[in-house]
Amino acid sequence: TSLIKESNVDVLIIGAGPAGLMAAHALAKSGVNVRIVDQRPDKVAAGQADGIQPRTIESYDLAERLLREGNQVHMAAFYNPSASGGIALTDRVRDVAAPSARFPFEVTLHQGAIEAIFLDSMESLGVKVCRPLTPTSIQVSENDDQLKDVNSHPVRVSFILGRVVLRNLSPLDDHEESEIVHAKFVIGADGAHSWVRKTLSLTLDGEQTTYIWGVVDMTPDTDFPDIRNRCAIHSNNGSCMIIPREDDKVRLYVQLGDRDAVDEESGRVDKSKIGPHELLDATRKIFYPYTFKTPESFDWWTIYIIGQRVASKFSVKDRVFIAGDACHTHSPKAGQGMNASMNDTHNLAWKLTQVLRGWADISLLQTYELERRKYAQDLISFDRQFAKLFSGKPRTEEYMDGVSHEDFFKIFQTFSGFTSGIGIHYAPSLITDSSYQAHAKKLIIGQRVLPQIFVRAADSRPVEIQDLLPADSRFKLIVFVGNSSDATRRDRIRRLAEDIRDVLRPYSPDGISAVFEIIPISCAKKADVRYNDLSKLFGCHWSKVLIDDTDVSGKQGGDGYSNYGVEPLVGAIIVVRPDGYVGMVAPFENVKELGAYFVGFMKVSTPLPNM
Ligand code: FAD
């Protein structure tokens, strides 16, 4: 007799790579009933992606352990062919050229260690990856009533235990250890060859390039002076990128000849043709006159052809979503794969949480594809330019059509906002309203909140505002109240606080502070600020009342109003989305605009105020 387990779950995640784990972790933290499965029996042990952008370090509770375990990359060096043969240093610049980065460097650490940060935190929340479990079918209900009802479970996924070759499967009912999961929502985070994507007939647009690269991780023994910096090397014998890594390790990306590792018949990379020793031989030619000794062992290696593709759709009926490599693939050298993948589900998780809690309308989920597909398209067009210049031959007197250092460096600089993750900019939509940008000129709507140190009014402790904006599924309202100790302004601030609370109440079935957090920031002097008054007025904890002043040493903080472009005499209300991006700015004197923003995607549970 067959033994089929059946269960219901709010969110089912298929695939436990960076995208899936980010989603599972965020949802588990928000108390969502989540299940995550993977067909692999174990997590990644070595290799794969290894670069974490400054923007990613800033978010998601990762920083502490990342900074402890990872390697920091501060400097980038460029080498080009020299007149005497071989290569020579052309330039050294800072690795992250994004001035507003809170952490102005990249962190490198192998993918398995990064995944472990999520896995450990998830375990403390009682969520583990179910593995090995392989999905065999997925069906999304066609029933409109069911699809509209957030509490229904319209997606049915069946699994069998173990990792199997699907062709050889016996029919589900005959299989002894099978399982059926009914889910409200499914996230397909199952990598570049995504089964979810293929099964739901979502196509990939774009093509495979002809660039073939080898990757090798090892502890090097070399006289090359920039081995601990990120390096881009263009030589007459090919190109190479160095990524310094945790401990003494280094990763080398080595360009291979067009046909070196390709199987003539299938057109696929044939790993039996080239191994790490051949990659090292190619490296030696590129690095001449510097030398590389053969290490005792290699930690990891692979060979791949770069594909540059984006899925035509990221979702099916707003019930199944694909994320990460399942919806975009590109070259790994700009350090985007893992970052883009985690950012996809960072964008999706808070939206799912808000919908599942009954706070937001299900239409909010459409902004996932809108925001992340546009980002993926931009990423691919950047990658095309970057990969082409990186894989191109260097310009020499004999080969004037080649890539000059100036061309390459220009792209490197132009796209630094992109490679650092700092420049991500979501276009206007339901949740990104840029009508009142003039009230906070430098806090760009659609971008993440700029780092800035303020001081707590109650105890003078300096705090980084980004630390007060965790991804806890609540919207944050940063209220620049102006000078709260000015007697003529006090009444206006009192009215403002009442109006804000009136506007938020209808969207707060579980109480305002469950759905929103208000952070008032005064520009009065410390001695004059009555933090208790402000905390009572705005209904926030005392630790959230801030002042725009320096700390007791005079070394940290100050100039927050001017850094954000807010006029102290005018004031402003900044709405920060749960993912840390600026959603809108509302004028101090026009609080009803806040209501106009939230009514666009949130559910109203009590009558709207008359304003
Ligand atoms: P993945 O990390 O691919 O995770 C997908 C997960 O889904 C896996 O755990 C997989 O086992 C699981 N899965 C797949 N199919 C199913 C299924 N049917 N059912 C259940 N589970 C399933 N990036 C770089 O920046 N530099 C590199 O050098 C680099 N090298 C790479 C080498 C390899 C061999 C691979 C595979 C990837 C490499 N990448 C590299 C890319 C980088 O790892 C990805 O961009 C990143 O991991 C994407 O995260 P993801 O969660 O979307 O997908």
Side-chain angles (χ1 to χ4, degrees), residues 14-20 37-40 48-51 111 115 133-135 189-192 195 215 251 253 300 302 304 323-326 330 332-333 335-338 341:
I14 301 176
V37 304
D38 200 290
Q39 67 179 9
R40 271 200 305 238
Q48 302 207 10
D50 59 2
Q111 187 170 320
E115 292 182 8
L133 215 55
T134 305
D190 50 348
W195 172 88
V215 193
R251 166 168 292 188
Y253 285 104
W300 182 79
T302 192
Y304 61 91
D325 275 12
H330 32 79
K333 282 173 299 301
Q336 299 282 332
M338 183 163 50
S341 299

mmCIF file of all heavy atoms in Angstrom, residues 14-20 37-40 48-51 111 115 133-135 189-192 195 215 251 253 300 302 304 323-326 330 332-333 335-338 341, ligand 1:
data_model
loop_
_atom_site.group_PDB
_atom_site.id
_atom_site.type_symbol
_atom_site.label_atom_id
_atom_site.label_comp_id
_atom_site.label_asym_id
_atom_site.label_seq_id
_atom_site.Cartn_x
_atom_site.Cartn_y
_atom_site.Cartn_z
ATOM 1 N N ILE A 14 11.027 25.860 -2.735
ATOM 2 C CA ILE A 14 11.727 24.741 -3.371
ATOM 3 C C ILE A 14 13.132 25.212 -3.738
ATOM 4 O O ILE A 14 13.293 26.093 -4.583
ATOM 5 C CB ILE A 14 10.961 24.246 -4.618
ATOM 6 C CG1 ILE A 14 9.548 23.811 -4.202
ATOM 7 C CG2 ILE A 14 11.713 23.103 -5.295
ATOM 8 C CD1 ILE A 14 8.654 23.403 -5.362
ATOM 9 N N GLY A 15 14.134 24.663 -3.066
ATOM 10 C CA GLY A 15 15.525 25.059 -3.315
ATOM 11 C C GLY A 15 16.093 25.829 -2.138
ATOM 12 O O GLY A 15 15.532 26.849 -1.734
ATOM 13 N N ALA A 16 17.203 25.291 -1.570
ATOM 14 C CA ALA A 16 17.792 25.929 -0.383
ATOM 15 C C ALA A 16 19.170 26.493 -0.682
ATOM 16 O O ALA A 16 20.132 26.262 0.039
ATOM 17 C CB ALA A 16 17.839 24.922 0.768
ATOM 18 N N GLY A 17 19.280 27.252 -1.781
ATOM 19 C CA GLY A 17 20.496 28.034 -2.042
ATOM 20 C C GLY A 17 20.314 29.405 -1.390
ATOM 21 O O GLY A 17 19.404 29.588 -0.566
ATOM 22 N N PRO A 18 21.139 30.383 -1.753
ATOM 23 C CA PRO A 18 21.024 31.707 -1.124
ATOM 24 C C PRO A 18 19.617 32.316 -1.245
ATOM 25 O O PRO A 18 19.115 32.882 -0.266
ATOM 26 C CB PRO A 18 22.039 32.548 -1.894
ATOM 27 C CG PRO A 18 23.047 31.563 -2.390
ATOM 28 C CD PRO A 18 22.295 30.301 -2.659
ATOM 29 N N ALA A 19 18.965 32.182 -2.410
ATOM 30 C CA ALA A 19 17.641 32.803 -2.569
ATOM 31 C C ALA A 19 16.614 32.135 -1.655
ATOM 32 O O ALA A 19 15.852 32.808 -0.949
ATOM 33 C CB ALA A 19 17.189 32.716 -4.026
ATOM 34 N N GLY A 20 16.603 30.804 -1.651
ATOM 35 C CA GLY A 20 15.627 30.074 -0.843
ATOM 36 C C GLY A 20 15.856 30.278 0.648
ATOM 37 O O GLY A 20 14.898 30.462 1.418
ATOM 38 N N VAL A 37 12.460 22.935 1.050
ATOM 39 C CA VAL A 37 12.933 21.592 0.673
ATOM 40 C C VAL A 37 14.065 21.726 -0.344
ATOM 41 O O VAL A 37 14.167 22.715 -1.061
ATOM 42 C CB VAL A 37 11.804 20.753 0.034
ATOM 43 C CG1 VAL A 37 10.603 20.664 0.942
ATOM 44 C CG2 VAL A 37 11.404 21.327 -1.311
ATOM 45 N N ASP A 38 14.917 20.720 -0.401
ATOM 46 C CA ASP A 38 15.991 20.707 -1.407
ATOM 47 C C ASP A 38 16.257 19.277 -1.809
ATOM 48 O O ASP A 38 16.162 18.358 -0.996
ATOM 49 C CB ASP A 38 17.270 21.338 -0.841
ATOM 50 C CG ASP A 38 18.219 21.783 -1.945
ATOM 51 O OD1 ASP A 38 18.808 20.921 -2.633
ATOM 52 O OD2 ASP A 38 18.357 23.007 -2.135
ATOM 53 N N GLN A 39 16.609 19.104 -3.087
ATOM 54 C CA GLN A 39 16.834 17.742 -3.566
ATOM 55 C C GLN A 39 18.225 17.217 -3.188
ATOM 56 O O GLN A 39 18.472 16.029 -3.219
ATOM 57 C CB GLN A 39 16.646 17.666 -5.075
ATOM 58 C CG GLN A 39 17.690 18.423 -5.860
ATOM 59 C CD GLN A 39 17.483 18.298 -7.369
ATOM 60 O OE1 GLN A 39 16.472 17.785 -7.818
ATOM 61 N NE2 GLN A 39 18.446 18.771 -8.128
ATOM 62 N N ARG A 40 19.124 18.148 -2.822
ATOM 63 C CA ARG A 40 20.470 17.703 -2.449
ATOM 64 C C ARG A 40 20.471 17.150 -1.029
ATOM 65 O O ARG A 40 19.827 17.720 -0.144
ATOM 66 C CB ARG A 40 21.440 18.895 -2.474
ATOM 67 C CG ARG A 40 22.091 19.119 -3.823
ATOM 68 C CD ARG A 40 23.358 19.939 -3.686
ATOM 69 N NE ARG A 40 23.125 21.198 -3.007
ATOM 70 C CZ ARG A 40 23.397 22.380 -3.536
ATOM 71 N NH1 ARG A 40 23.898 22.481 -4.746
ATOM 72 N NH2 ARG A 40 23.196 23.484 -2.848
ATOM 73 N N GLN A 48 31.423 27.697 -5.510
ATOM 74 C CA GLN A 48 30.303 28.517 -6.001
ATOM 75 C C GLN A 48 30.523 29.987 -5.659
ATOM 76 O O GLN A 48 31.646 30.445 -5.648
ATOM 77 C CB GLN A 48 28.987 27.965 -5.494
ATOM 78 C CG GLN A 48 28.792 26.496 -5.927
ATOM 79 C CD GLN A 48 27.355 26.090 -6.034
ATOM 80 O OE1 GLN A 48 26.465 26.895 -5.977
ATOM 81 N NE2 GLN A 48 27.109 24.817 -6.206
ATOM 82 N N ALA A 49 29.462 30.722 -5.389
ATOM 83 C CA ALA A 49 29.617 32.174 -5.241
ATOM 84 C C ALA A 49 30.355 32.516 -3.949
ATOM 85 O O ALA A 49 30.357 31.735 -3.004
ATOM 86 C CB ALA A 49 28.245 32.829 -5.250
ATOM 87 N N ASP A 50 30.966 33.702 -3.922
ATOM 88 C CA ASP A 50 31.735 34.040 -2.719
ATOM 89 C C ASP A 50 31.798 35.534 -2.405
ATOM 90 O O ASP A 50 32.428 35.930 -1.448
ATOM 91 C CB ASP A 50 33.164 33.490 -2.829
ATOM 92 C CG ASP A 50 33.907 34.049 -4.039
ATOM 93 O OD1 ASP A 50 33.326 34.882 -4.763
ATOM 94 O OD2 ASP A 50 35.055 33.642 -4.255
ATOM 95 N N GLY A 51 31.162 36.386 -3.223
ATOM 96 C CA GLY A 51 31.298 37.828 -2.994
ATOM 97 C C GLY A 51 30.026 38.433 -2.417
ATOM 98 O O GLY A 51 28.931 38.189 -2.915
ATOM 99 N N GLN A 111 30.225 30.252 -0.411
ATOM 100 C CA GLN A 111 28.762 30.214 -0.360
ATOM 101 C C GLN A 111 28.236 29.362 0.796
ATOM 102 O O GLN A 111 27.252 29.712 1.452
ATOM 103 C CB GLN A 111 28.241 29.691 -1.701
ATOM 104 C CG GLN A 111 26.752 29.763 -1.850
ATOM 105 C CD GLN A 111 26.307 29.459 -3.272
ATOM 106 O OE1 GLN A 111 26.942 29.876 -4.236
ATOM 107 N NE2 GLN A 111 25.222 28.740 -3.413
ATOM 108 N N GLU A 115 25.560 30.445 3.556
ATOM 109 C CA GLU A 115 24.311 29.700 3.771
ATOM 110 C C GLU A 115 24.200 29.244 5.228
ATOM 111 O O GLU A 115 23.109 29.216 5.796
ATOM 112 C CB GLU A 115 24.254 28.502 2.817
ATOM 113 C CG GLU A 115 24.109 28.935 1.364
ATOM 114 C CD GLU A 115 24.010 27.776 0.374
ATOM 115 O OE1 GLU A 115 23.908 26.611 0.798
ATOM 116 O OE2 GLU A 115 24.026 28.051 -0.815
ATOM 117 N N LEU A 133 14.531 15.892 -0.968
ATOM 118 C CA LEU A 133 13.129 15.795 -1.375
ATOM 119 C C LEU A 133 13.020 16.381 -2.779
ATOM 120 O O LEU A 133 13.492 17.499 -3.013
ATOM 121 C CB LEU A 133 12.280 16.608 -0.395
ATOM 122 C CG LEU A 133 10.881 16.132 -0.030
ATOM 123 C CD1 LEU A 133 10.905 14.706 0.507
ATOM 124 C CD2 LEU A 133 10.271 17.036 1.030
ATOM 125 N N THR A 134 12.438 15.640 -3.706
ATOM 126 C CA THR A 134 12.377 16.102 -5.098
ATOM 127 C C THR A 134 10.925 16.279 -5.532
ATOM 128 O O THR A 134 10.122 15.358 -5.384
ATOM 129 C CB THR A 134 13.058 15.076 -6.027
ATOM 130 O OG1 THR A 134 14.368 14.857 -5.538
ATOM 131 C CG2 THR A 134 13.141 15.595 -7.455
ATOM 132 N N PRO A 135 10.582 17.446 -6.077
ATOM 133 C CA PRO A 135 9.205 17.644 -6.524
ATOM 134 C C PRO A 135 8.952 16.891 -7.832
ATOM 135 O O PRO A 135 9.840 16.796 -8.677
ATOM 136 C CB PRO A 135 9.123 19.158 -6.748
ATOM 137 C CG PRO A 135 10.520 19.580 -7.045
ATOM 138 C CD PRO A 135 11.420 18.617 -6.318
ATOM 139 N N ALA A 189 13.044 28.548 -5.878
ATOM 140 C CA ALA A 189 14.403 29.112 -5.764
ATOM 141 C C ALA A 189 15.370 27.979 -6.076
ATOM 142 O O ALA A 189 16.323 27.740 -5.351
ATOM 143 C CB ALA A 189 14.623 29.663 -4.358
ATOM 144 N N ASP A 190 15.065 27.268 -7.169
ATOM 145 C CA ASP A 190 15.790 26.028 -7.444
ATOM 146 C C ASP A 190 16.842 26.177 -8.531
ATOM 147 O O ASP A 190 17.084 25.260 -9.310
ATOM 148 C CB ASP A 190 14.811 24.877 -7.728
ATOM 149 C CG ASP A 190 13.737 25.229 -8.762
ATOM 150 O OD1 ASP A 190 13.599 26.416 -9.088
ATOM 151 O OD2 ASP A 190 13.047 24.313 -9.241
ATOM 152 N N GLY A 191 17.484 27.342 -8.582
ATOM 153 C CA GLY A 191 18.704 27.506 -9.367
ATOM 154 C C GLY A 191 18.505 27.645 -10.866
ATOM 155 O O GLY A 191 17.387 27.666 -11.389
ATOM 156 N N ALA A 192 19.638 27.720 -11.575
ATOM 157 C CA ALA A 192 19.630 28.051 -13.001
ATOM 158 C C ALA A 192 18.836 27.052 -13.845
ATOM 159 O O ALA A 192 18.272 27.418 -14.867
ATOM 160 C CB ALA A 192 21.073 28.142 -13.493
ATOM 161 N N TRP A 195 13.465 23.581 -11.979
ATOM 162 C CA TRP A 195 12.368 22.674 -12.325
ATOM 163 C C TRP A 195 11.037 23.428 -12.271
ATOM 164 O O TRP A 195 10.164 23.242 -13.117
ATOM 165 C CB TRP A 195 12.376 21.486 -11.332
ATOM 166 C CG TRP A 195 11.198 20.585 -11.450
ATOM 167 C CD1 TRP A 195 11.068 19.505 -12.273
ATOM 168 C CD2 TRP A 195 9.964 20.693 -10.720
ATOM 169 N NE1 TRP A 195 9.839 18.931 -12.103
ATOM 170 C CE2 TRP A 195 9.141 19.629 -11.161
ATOM 171 C CE3 TRP A 195 9.477 21.571 -9.741
ATOM 172 C CZ2 TRP A 195 7.845 19.431 -10.650
ATOM 173 C CZ3 TRP A 195 8.201 21.370 -9.237
ATOM 174 C CH2 TRP A 195 7.397 20.306 -9.702
ATOM 175 N N VAL A 215 37.295 28.368 -12.891
ATOM 176 C CA VAL A 215 37.400 28.962 -11.548
ATOM 177 C C VAL A 215 38.165 27.990 -10.677
ATOM 178 O O VAL A 215 37.879 26.785 -10.702
ATOM 179 C CB VAL A 215 36.006 29.147 -10.894
ATOM 180 C CG1 VAL A 215 36.114 30.037 -9.669
ATOM 181 C CG2 VAL A 215 35.001 29.692 -11.870
ATOM 182 N N ARG A 251 40.674 33.058 -4.939
ATOM 183 C CA ARG A 251 39.966 32.475 -6.089
ATOM 184 C C ARG A 251 40.512 33.102 -7.367
ATOM 185 O O ARG A 251 40.687 34.321 -7.434
ATOM 186 C CB ARG A 251 38.468 32.741 -5.992
ATOM 187 C CG ARG A 251 37.761 32.463 -7.321
ATOM 188 C CD ARG A 251 36.270 32.446 -7.177
ATOM 189 N NE ARG A 251 35.868 31.278 -6.388
ATOM 190 C CZ ARG A 251 34.592 30.914 -6.233
ATOM 191 N NH1 ARG A 251 33.637 31.612 -6.782
ATOM 192 N NH2 ARG A 251 34.290 29.864 -5.514
ATOM 193 N N TYR A 253 39.656 33.448 -11.444
ATOM 194 C CA TYR A 253 38.801 33.231 -12.612
ATOM 195 C C TYR A 253 39.717 33.318 -13.821
ATOM 196 O O TYR A 253 40.378 34.344 -14.021
ATOM 197 C CB TYR A 253 37.746 34.329 -12.729
ATOM 198 C CG TYR A 253 36.611 34.213 -11.745
ATOM 199 C CD1 TYR A 253 36.530 35.041 -10.634
ATOM 200 C CD2 TYR A 253 35.599 33.281 -11.940
ATOM 201 C CE1 TYR A 253 35.466 34.943 -9.734
ATOM 202 C CE2 TYR A 253 34.538 33.181 -11.048
ATOM 203 C CZ TYR A 253 34.481 34.009 -9.953
ATOM 204 O OH TYR A 253 33.439 33.906 -9.086
ATOM 205 N N TRP A 300 38.638 23.842 -4.616
ATOM 206 C CA TRP A 300 37.434 23.694 -5.436
ATOM 207 C C TRP A 300 37.755 24.220 -6.816
ATOM 208 O O TRP A 300 38.616 25.082 -6.971
ATOM 209 C CB TRP A 300 36.299 24.530 -4.822
ATOM 210 C CG TRP A 300 34.978 24.452 -5.526
ATOM 211 C CD1 TRP A 300 34.055 23.447 -5.425
ATOM 212 C CD2 TRP A 300 34.399 25.423 -6.426
ATOM 213 N NE1 TRP A 300 32.960 23.729 -6.197
ATOM 214 C CE2 TRP A 300 33.136 24.934 -6.824
ATOM 215 C CE3 TRP A 300 34.828 26.650 -6.931
ATOM 216 C CZ2 TRP A 300 32.307 25.630 -7.699
ATOM 217 C CZ3 TRP A 300 33.998 27.345 -7.804
ATOM 218 C CH2 TRP A 300 32.745 26.829 -8.174
ATOM 219 N N THR A 302 35.864 24.704 -11.069
ATOM 220 C CA THR A 302 34.793 24.404 -12.019
ATOM 221 C C THR A 302 35.084 25.113 -13.350
ATOM 222 O O THR A 302 35.996 25.944 -13.434
ATOM 223 C CB THR A 302 33.415 24.801 -11.472
ATOM 224 O OG1 THR A 302 32.406 24.236 -12.314
ATOM 225 C CG2 THR A 302 33.205 26.315 -11.467
ATOM 226 N N TYR A 304 32.798 26.917 -16.693
ATOM 227 C CA TYR A 304 31.438 27.223 -17.148
ATOM 228 C C TYR A 304 31.441 28.130 -18.364
ATOM 229 O O TYR A 304 32.421 28.827 -18.632
ATOM 230 C CB TYR A 304 30.629 27.884 -16.016
ATOM 231 C CG TYR A 304 31.231 29.173 -15.565
ATOM 232 C CD1 TYR A 304 30.848 30.372 -16.152
ATOM 233 C CD2 TYR A 304 32.194 29.201 -14.565
ATOM 234 C CE1 TYR A 304 31.420 31.552 -15.762
ATOM 235 C CE2 TYR A 304 32.778 30.385 -14.178
ATOM 236 C CZ TYR A 304 32.393 31.554 -14.770
ATOM 237 O OH TYR A 304 32.964 32.733 -14.398
ATOM 238 N N ALA A 323 12.711 32.861 -8.134
ATOM 239 C CA ALA A 323 13.661 33.848 -7.610
ATOM 240 C C ALA A 323 15.082 33.339 -7.776
ATOM 241 O O ALA A 323 15.318 32.140 -7.856
ATOM 242 C CB ALA A 323 13.369 34.099 -6.125
ATOM 243 N N GLY A 324 16.022 34.254 -7.819
ATOM 244 C CA GLY A 324 17.441 33.901 -7.883
ATOM 245 C C GLY A 324 17.834 33.425 -9.271
ATOM 246 O O GLY A 324 17.279 33.861 -10.278
ATOM 247 N N ASP A 325 18.794 32.488 -9.311
ATOM 248 C CA ASP A 325 19.278 31.980 -10.600
ATOM 249 C C ASP A 325 18.142 31.376 -11.427
ATOM 250 O O ASP A 325 18.271 31.249 -12.641
ATOM 251 C CB ASP A 325 20.353 30.900 -10.381
ATOM 252 C CG ASP A 325 21.740 31.516 -10.187
ATOM 253 O OD1 ASP A 325 21.813 32.746 -10.004
ATOM 254 O OD2 ASP A 325 22.732 30.755 -10.216
ATOM 255 N N ALA A 326 17.054 31.001 -10.809
ATOM 256 C CA ALA A 326 15.919 30.466 -11.552
ATOM 257 C C ALA A 326 15.376 31.514 -12.528
ATOM 258 O O ALA A 326 14.794 31.165 -13.549
ATOM 259 C CB ALA A 326 14.813 30.028 -10.596
ATOM 260 N N HIS A 330 23.969 35.016 -15.298
ATOM 261 C CA HIS A 330 24.930 35.977 -15.846
ATOM 262 C C HIS A 330 26.310 35.551 -15.415
ATOM 263 O O HIS A 330 26.465 34.591 -14.675
ATOM 264 C CB HIS A 330 24.606 37.383 -15.323
ATOM 265 C CG HIS A 330 24.025 37.339 -13.950
ATOM 266 N ND1 HIS A 330 24.806 37.169 -12.834
ATOM 267 C CD2 HIS A 330 22.742 37.317 -13.521
ATOM 268 C CE1 HIS A 330 24.018 37.088 -11.775
ATOM 269 N NE2 HIS A 330 22.763 37.163 -12.153
ATOM 270 N N PRO A 332 29.749 35.455 -13.289
ATOM 271 C CA PRO A 332 29.887 35.667 -11.854
ATOM 272 C C PRO A 332 30.899 36.740 -11.480
ATOM 273 O O PRO A 332 31.016 37.087 -10.324
ATOM 274 C CB PRO A 332 30.361 34.297 -11.351
ATOM 275 C CG PRO A 332 31.025 33.661 -12.509
ATOM 276 C CD PRO A 332 30.479 34.274 -13.753
ATOM 277 N N LYS A 333 31.615 37.303 -12.455
ATOM 278 C CA LYS A 333 32.769 38.127 -12.078
ATOM 279 C C LYS A 333 32.417 39.455 -11.450
ATOM 280 O O LYS A 333 33.212 40.049 -10.743
ATOM 281 C CB LYS A 333 33.680 38.340 -13.286
ATOM 282 C CG LYS A 333 34.512 37.099 -13.537
ATOM 283 C CD LYS A 333 35.294 37.196 -14.789
ATOM 284 C CE LYS A 333 34.390 37.359 -15.977
ATOM 285 N NZ LYS A 333 33.441 36.234 -16.127
ATOM 286 N N GLY A 335 30.360 39.681 -9.212
ATOM 287 C CA GLY A 335 29.909 39.324 -7.867
ATOM 288 C C GLY A 335 28.424 39.526 -7.672
ATOM 289 O O GLY A 335 27.976 39.952 -6.614
ATOM 290 N N GLN A 336 27.631 39.229 -8.690
ATOM 291 C CA GLN A 336 26.214 39.569 -8.610
ATOM 292 C C GLN A 336 25.300 38.395 -8.252
ATOM 293 O O GLN A 336 24.260 38.591 -7.652
ATOM 294 C CB GLN A 336 25.745 40.136 -9.953
ATOM 295 C CG GLN A 336 26.457 41.398 -10.371
ATOM 296 C CD GLN A 336 25.933 42.603 -9.649
ATOM 297 O OE1 GLN A 336 24.790 42.630 -9.247
ATOM 298 N NE2 GLN A 336 26.761 43.593 -9.460
ATOM 299 N N GLY A 337 25.685 37.168 -8.645
ATOM 300 C CA GLY A 337 24.767 36.029 -8.583
ATOM 301 C C GLY A 337 24.096 35.858 -7.236
ATOM 302 O O GLY A 337 22.873 35.913 -7.115
ATOM 303 N N MET A 338 24.902 35.694 -6.223
ATOM 304 C CA MET A 338 24.347 35.422 -4.903
ATOM 305 C C MET A 338 23.645 36.665 -4.340
ATOM 306 O O MET A 338 22.596 36.571 -3.707
ATOM 307 C CB MET A 338 25.493 34.995 -3.991
ATOM 308 C CG MET A 338 25.071 34.608 -2.627
ATOM 309 S SD MET A 338 26.340 33.659 -1.781
ATOM 310 C CE MET A 338 27.799 34.623 -1.987
ATOM 311 N N SER A 341 20.346 37.177 -6.055
ATOM 312 C CA SER A 341 19.406 36.126 -5.656
ATOM 313 C C SER A 341 18.829 36.400 -4.275
ATOM 314 O O SER A 341 17.625 36.274 -4.049
ATOM 315 C CB SER A 341 20.112 34.771 -5.662
ATOM 316 O OG SER A 341 20.572 34.492 -6.961
HETATM 317 P P1 FAD B 1 21.350 27.977 -6.196
HETATM 318 O O1 FAD B 1 22.447 28.416 -5.325
HETATM 319 O O2 FAD B 1 21.690 27.282 -7.446
HETATM 320 O O3 FAD B 1 20.414 27.070 -5.307
HETATM 321 C C1 FAD B 1 19.404 26.272 -5.847
HETATM 322 C C2 FAD B 1 19.069 25.169 -4.874
HETATM 323 O O4 FAD B 1 17.941 24.477 -5.365
HETATM 324 C C3 FAD B 1 20.177 24.139 -4.727
HETATM 325 O O5 FAD B 1 20.413 23.896 -3.374
HETATM 326 C C4 FAD B 1 19.640 22.902 -5.461
HETATM 327 O O6 FAD B 1 20.057 21.695 -4.890
HETATM 328 C C5 FAD B 1 18.165 23.083 -5.302
HETATM 329 N N1 FAD B 1 17.372 22.461 -6.353
HETATM 330 C C6 FAD B 1 17.588 22.516 -7.678
HETATM 331 N N2 FAD B 1 16.618 21.866 -8.324
HETATM 332 C C7 FAD B 1 15.786 21.389 -7.384
HETATM 333 C C8 FAD B 1 14.609 20.625 -7.444
HETATM 334 N N3 FAD B 1 14.079 20.233 -8.600
HETATM 335 N N4 FAD B 1 14.017 20.295 -6.284
HETATM 336 C C9 FAD B 1 14.530 20.668 -5.092
HETATM 337 N N5 FAD B 1 15.648 21.402 -4.996
HETATM 338 C C10 FAD B 1 16.266 21.759 -6.128
HETATM 339 N N6 FAD B 1 28.633 32.560 -8.613
HETATM 340 C C11 FAD B 1 29.676 33.372 -8.471
HETATM 341 O O7 FAD B 1 29.476 34.555 -8.152
HETATM 342 N N7 FAD B 1 30.945 32.909 -8.647
HETATM 343 C C12 FAD B 1 31.203 31.626 -8.988
HETATM 344 O O8 FAD B 1 32.337 31.227 -9.194
HETATM 345 C C13 FAD B 1 30.135 30.746 -9.127
HETATM 346 N N8 FAD B 1 30.340 29.468 -9.420
HETATM 347 C C14 FAD B 1 29.287 28.618 -9.484
HETATM 348 C C15 FAD B 1 29.532 27.284 -9.715
HETATM 349 C C16 FAD B 1 28.491 26.370 -9.750
HETATM 350 C C17 FAD B 1 28.789 24.927 -9.996
HETATM 351 C C18 FAD B 1 27.160 26.835 -9.549
HETATM 352 C C19 FAD B 1 26.024 25.874 -9.567
HETATM 353 C C20 FAD B 1 26.936 28.178 -9.337
HETATM 354 C C21 FAD B 1 27.991 29.087 -9.295
HETATM 355 N N9 FAD B 1 27.788 30.444 -9.071
HETATM 356 C C22 FAD B 1 28.839 31.268 -8.930
HETATM 357 C C23 FAD B 1 26.457 31.026 -9.025
HETATM 358 C C24 FAD B 1 25.950 31.207 -7.642
HETATM 359 O O9 FAD B 1 26.210 30.060 -6.892
HETATM 360 C C25 FAD B 1 24.469 31.502 -7.798
HETATM 361 O O10 FAD B 1 24.293 32.731 -8.468
HETATM 362 C C26 FAD B 1 23.722 31.559 -6.499
HETATM 363 O O11 FAD B 1 23.989 30.450 -5.730
HETATM 364 C C27 FAD B 1 22.244 31.644 -6.828
HETATM 365 O O12 FAD B 1 21.473 31.335 -5.740
HETATM 366 P P2 FAD B 1 20.100 30.582 -5.888
HETATM 367 O O13 FAD B 1 19.626 30.356 -4.506
HETATM 368 O O14 FAD B 1 19.236 31.309 -6.822
HETATM 369 O O15 FAD B 1 20.418 29.198 -6.614
#
